[in-house]
Structures are given as structure tokens and as C-alpha cells.
Amino acid sequence: MSQIGVTGLAVMGANLARNIASRGVPISVHNRTSAKTRDFVSEFGSEGDYTGSDSLEEFVQSLERPRRIIVMVKAGAPVDGVIEDLIPLLDKDDIVIDAGNSHYVDTRRREQYLTEKGLRFIGTGVSGGEEGALKGPSIMPGGPREAYAEVEEIFTTIAAQVDGEPCCAYIGADGAGHYVKMVHNGIEYADMQLIAEAYDLLRFGIGLDVPTIKGIFDDWNAGDLESFLIEITATVLGKTDEATGQPLVDVIVDQAEQKGTGRWTAQDALELGVPLTGITEAVFARSLSNLRDQRKAASGFLAGPQPGGLSESLVDDIRSALYASKVVAYAQGFEQMAAAAKTYDWDLQMGELAKIWRGGCIIRARFLNRITDSYAETPDLVNLLMAPYFRDAVADAQNAWRKVIVSAVEQGIAVPAFSSSLAYYDGYRRERGPANLIQGQRDFFGAHTYRRVDKEGSFHTRWSQDGTEVKTD
């Protein structure tokens, strides 16, 4: 009998199954298309103790009880379909694990639904792409704690390891695991957009060639910007297209696709009232990139400066702007998770989240150690910008940050993530902003009331009548 099973043998499912088998865990595998199961066992059967099954019934029967089944299919209706197919075949307390990129709202619904049927459900965020799935991802499980305890040994064994610690930890009840993975992906969107803006300034603002920019990213990866995304950026920039002899990046169409997790993050932030400016701008930037035909027409029609001619001395300033903006993206993401924890009664451990993102996942970076340390020093930290390390880092970077954004505006180079991050920082550090005027306007046209700085209670001015102020509570 196998200790665990995986149904769904596309790239991620196949690699996760191989990872588990390589650790000496007997595993059953299944795919809706039987031929794919047989091909998988034929190709990778020597790597571990596999049991391949042609039918879902045979797959379920091959597992020891309580059964532990990892579902690795496309998010949405396919997950619900597999669950419905599994339910008649399972026994009380069996565990279904959704390790795909599901929306946390669906995960909460599924966990409640399966609980009512006497089954247990673990919504599990898995980050690291196909390489991470095979060699060690970051794993974010959510659901009943007692159910997680029955898969904990396998999960912590297959997860990436940093300093002898697994990049896996129990996140919280129902949809907490998939929620944290969603925000992880949102931060990933922001990080990638910031890197793209830095590249844009280096390439078209200063006019550096691609090999030179590759060298700059290599240098940045040796310092405080060290991360997986900076590393692969240098790799992408170093790739030559065999057909043309040009840098491959120059022949890739400038349209960035998305699968929805960044958009979900931005939408959820709106519902929670969290100012998630950097991540949201990154989502919008991808949407704008897909207006390619319109942009082509506008390029010959709309007026504006032509990029070029910035001094190469701006390179270090761009690095500083990238680091400061990255701090803001993480600060906003962690603020969102804190708000969700209060809303959904999840006991999210912020320092622990940063710790399990240090390896395996897409946003893994040296930077995350600083976040873990900050929450260790101040467990109730309300915003990463209030941590002494990040306060000082942004203070040191802000003159360069401002200079870069001014230069970009003068050059006509769009830097939405850089500039929105700075706007958030400037707005956050102001004791008094202009929202008092907005509230006055709202009271004028909608009698929405306002509060005063010198008195308790709510007030309304009779703007269209005699102009007197009345207390409303």
C-alpha cells in the first residue's frame, strides 16, 4: 500500500510525485488519461516505489488509510470535478489535498463541504515552479491542523531546506494556505514589474546594451538584492537567440500574460481596504502590455519625449530605487495578510511566512531574512516600514529613488511600480494628508458626515441650506 497519492500528472504533479518518491515514500499516481500514467511510470519508475493506476477506483484502493490524496489539476471547476469523483470512493477522515493555484475563496468552500461529508481537506500553496516541485518547493498548507499533522513529515521532507529548516509550515485554518500563496504571487508580480522597470531605464533611458545590463544584474545579485528573480533576469538577458544572433529578450513580444493570482490579490486588497498600490500597478502594467496594437498606433500619434541620454551614473540610483520599491511591495503584502488574518480569524505568523519563503519559492531572496528578523524583534509590527532596518534602508535609498522617478518622467519612461511605491511611502509617512477635503466634498453632495480634529462625534454641514454645522451622533 502507498502512503500518499497524486492525481494529475502534468508537469507540476509529475515533478511533485517524483520528489516524494525520491525521498523513499511509496506513492500511487493517477491521471485522467491512463496512457499518461503508464508513460510516467515507465519513464520514472526506477526513481522510487510507484504504483500506477488506470482508474480512480484502483488509485484510491491502493492507498493506506486514512488516505492522503494530492490533487494537481487546473484551478477552478477541474478541482471540483475531481473532488466529486473522489467522494464516493473515500472513507471517513480521508484527506484530500489541493496543491494547485486555487483561489482561497474556493478552498474555504471546499473545506466546509468536505467536512460535512466526514472528510478532511488541506488547501496547500506550493511555490517554486516545476524545478521547485521536483527539487524542493516552498509549501503553505492550510486546513485542519490535525489533518496537516498526518502529512507533515512528508511535506517537510520534500520542501526546500534553508539552514537545516524546511520551507514548510502550517499556515492556518480553511483557506489560509492558498491565501498566503496568493499574496506571495502578488508580491511576485510587483517584484517582476520593478525589475522590468529597472531594465527599461537601463536599456532605453541610459542606452546600455543587453550584455552590459546582464552584468549589472549579476552584480546586483551579489549584494542586498540577491534573489531568484534577479538571478534569472541575468540568465534571461544572457541568452542569445540562435535564429537571429540577437539577445533573446529582443525577439520576445512585449506582452506579459497572467493566470489570475495577482489580480485576485489586488481585488482582495480592495475588499479589505488595504492600499496595495505596487502589486495592483504591476497587474495593470501587464494589462497595458497586452494593448499592443493600440500602443503601436499611439506611438506614432501621441506626443511625448523620446527616451535616451541619461547618465550611466544613474545605475546605482536605479539599484537603490529597486530596493526601496521592493521594501514597499513586501510591506503592502504583509499588511494585506495581517488584515486577512483579522477578517478570517487566522493566526498567521508573519515571521514564519518570511522564513518559509527563503527557499524553493519564486520570491526567495536574502531580503527575507531581514523580514523574519524584524518580526522576531517586534512580533506586533504593524508595517515593515516601521522596522528599524527597513526604515533606515529606505531612508538611505530615497534620494536616489526620487531622482530615478524624476528622470523617468522627464524621459517619458513609464515606471508605475516605482512611482506608486514612492507615493505610498510619502503618503504613509505624512501625519496629515488631503483626505479631509475629500470628506468635506462627500459631506456636501451626500451628507456622509465628517469627524473633527477638536471634538468627538460625527458632524454634517448644511451646505445647501443655512451653512450651519450639526452633530449627528
Side-chain angles (χ1 to χ4, degrees):
M1 302 291 282
S2 297
Q3 292 182 24
I4 196 166
V6 173
T7 179
L9 295 175
V11 174
M12 286 293 290
N15 282 2
L16 199 62
R18 292 175 61 196
N19 185 353
I20 294 170
S22 71
R23 316 293 175 157
V25 178
I27 182 171
S28 292
V29 292
H30 167 265
N31 195 76
R32 183 173 53 85
T33 306
S34 298
K36 194 160 193 173
T37 306
R38 291 192 290 270
D39 289 345
F40 175 85
V41 175
S42 174
E43 184 172 359
F44 304 113
S46 61
E47 295 179 353
D49 185 357
Y50 292 105
T51 298
S53 302
D54 287 335
S55 70
L56 199 60
E57 293 85 354
E58 181 184 345
F59 170 70
V60 170
Q61 291 169 7
S62 70
L63 298 169
E64 63 182 35
R65 297 182 184 179
R67 300 180 180 94
R68 295 171 285 190
I69 297 173
I70 298 175
V71 178
M72 291 295 292
V73 299
K74 188 176 180 180
V79 176
D80 289 319
V82 172
I83 288 173
E84 290 300 327
D85 290 341
L86 282 171
I87 286 173
L89 307 175
L90 300 178
D91 295 312
K92 186 176 184 299
D93 289 335
D94 284 349
I95 301 170
V96 178
I97 304 159
D98 174 13
N101 257 343
S102 289
H103 194 194
Y104 80 97
V105 175
D106 291 333
T107 302
R108 300 188 79 206
R109 168 179 58 80
R110 290 166 184 150
E111 198 267 343
Q112 181 178 356
Y113 176 61
L114 289 178
T115 296
E116 292 168 355
K117 295 185 175 298
L119 301 171
R120 295 178 288 175
F121 186 72
I122 302 176
T124 303
V126 176
S127 178
E130 56 186 270
E131 181 180 359
L134 180 61
K135 298 179 180 179
S138 176
I139 305 178
M140 295 151 265
R145 185 181 285 274
E146 69 277 7
Y148 171 66
E150 299 197 27
V151 297
E152 181 175 9
E153 183 177 355
I154 293 175
F155 277 13
T156 55
T157 299
I158 67 171
Q161 310 288 316
V162 175
D163 298 332
E165 297 179 307
C167 294
C168 172
Y170 175 73
I171 304 300
D174 51 74
H178 274 138
Y179 189 94
V180 166
K181 174 56 164 49
M182 176 188 78
V183 176
H184 163 284
N185 283 23
I187 294 172
E188 176 186 311
Y189 271 58
D191 216 342
M192 294 173 71
Q193 176 64 26
L194 290 167
I195 290 170
E197 291 176 15
Y199 158 78
D200 202 13
L201 285 163
L202 294 170
R203 184 74 192 278
F204 299 102
I206 299 176
L208 301 176
D209 60 24
V210 173
T212 300
I213 300 172
K214 177 209 181 309
I216 289 170
F217 276 95
D218 280 329
D219 290 342
W220 288 354
N221 197 48
D224 54 11
L225 280 172
E226 179 190 351
S227 68
F228 174 70
L229 285 172
I230 294 289
E231 177 187 344
I232 68 169
T233 297
T235 301
V236 169
L237 293 172
K239 177 68 174 176
T240 299
D241 175 48
E242 293 182 2
T244 64
Q246 300 178 61
L248 178 64
V249 71
D250 283 351
V251 297
I252 296 176
V253 174
D254 60 328
Q255 290 177 283
E257 298 178 2
Q258 52 185 311
K259 292 187 175 180
T261 48
R263 183 171 65 250
W264 291 344
T265 310
Q267 289 170 340
D268 188 73
L270 287 171
E271 292 296 326
L272 293 173
V274 176
L276 198 75
T277 60
I279 292 171
T280 303
E281 286 291 355
V283 174
F284 287 153
R286 292 197 188 190
S287 298
L288 183 60
S289 79
N290 280 281
L291 303 180
R292 190 163 183 259
D293 291 340
Q294 293 182 44
R295 290 189 291 108
K296 184 176 180 180
S299 68
F301 184 76
L302 298 179
Q306 292 299 312
L310 289 178
S311 170
E312 198 166 335
S313 64
L314 200 66
V315 170
D316 285 342
D317 292 330
I318 294 171
R319 185 205 64 78
S320 295
L322 177 56
Y323 189 81
S325 298
K326 183 184 178 81
V327 171
V328 169
Y330 277 79
Q332 292 177 353
F334 275 79
E335 183 181 5
Q336 180 174 359
M337 290 189 292
K342 292 179 181 178
T343 300
Y344 301 116
D345 196 27
W346 294 330
D347 183 22
L348 300 185
Q349 301 298 311
M350 298 303 173
E352 189 73 17
L353 298 181
K355 186 179 290 187
I356 67 172
W357 287 349
R358 293 181 303 163
C361 72
I362 303 302
I363 63 172
R364 60 186 183 266
R366 176 191 298 187
F367 181 92
L368 289 158
N369 288 317
R370 299 292 190 180
I371 297 178
T372 298
D373 293 344
S374 295
Y375 281 107
E377 293 166 6
T378 312
D380 58 350
L381 186 66
V382 295
N383 190 302
L384 278 175
L385 290 170
M386 301 300 285
Y389 173 82
F390 291 112
R391 175 201 62 198
D392 295 343
V394 173
D396 290 343
Q398 70 167 294
N399 287 340
W401 195 10
R402 297 179 192 283
K403 181 179 178 182
V404 165
I405 291 170
V406 169
S407 298
V409 171
E410 291 176 342
Q411 290 273 309
I413 297 176
V415 285
F418 275 0
S419 53
S420 66
S421 297
L422 179 59
Y424 172 87
Y425 174 76
D426 282 336
Y428 189 75
R429 69 182 181 83
R430 284 188 64 182
E431 181 179 357
R432 184 166 171 82
N436 50 327
L437 176 59
I438 294 172
Q439 197 60 21
Q441 293 169 332
R442 294 182 74 245
D443 186 60
F444 188 107
F445 64 68
H448 294 295
T449 76
Y450 52 85
R451 290 178 292 114
R452 297 176 58 99
V453 297
D454 56 353
K455 299 178 184 178
E456 293 296 323
S458 296
F459 298 84
H460 166 61
T461 291
R462 294 169 172 162
W463 301 97
S464 300
Q465 300 172 42
D466 58 9
T468 59
E469 181 183 75
V470 294
K471 194 171 187 295
T472 60
D473 68 0

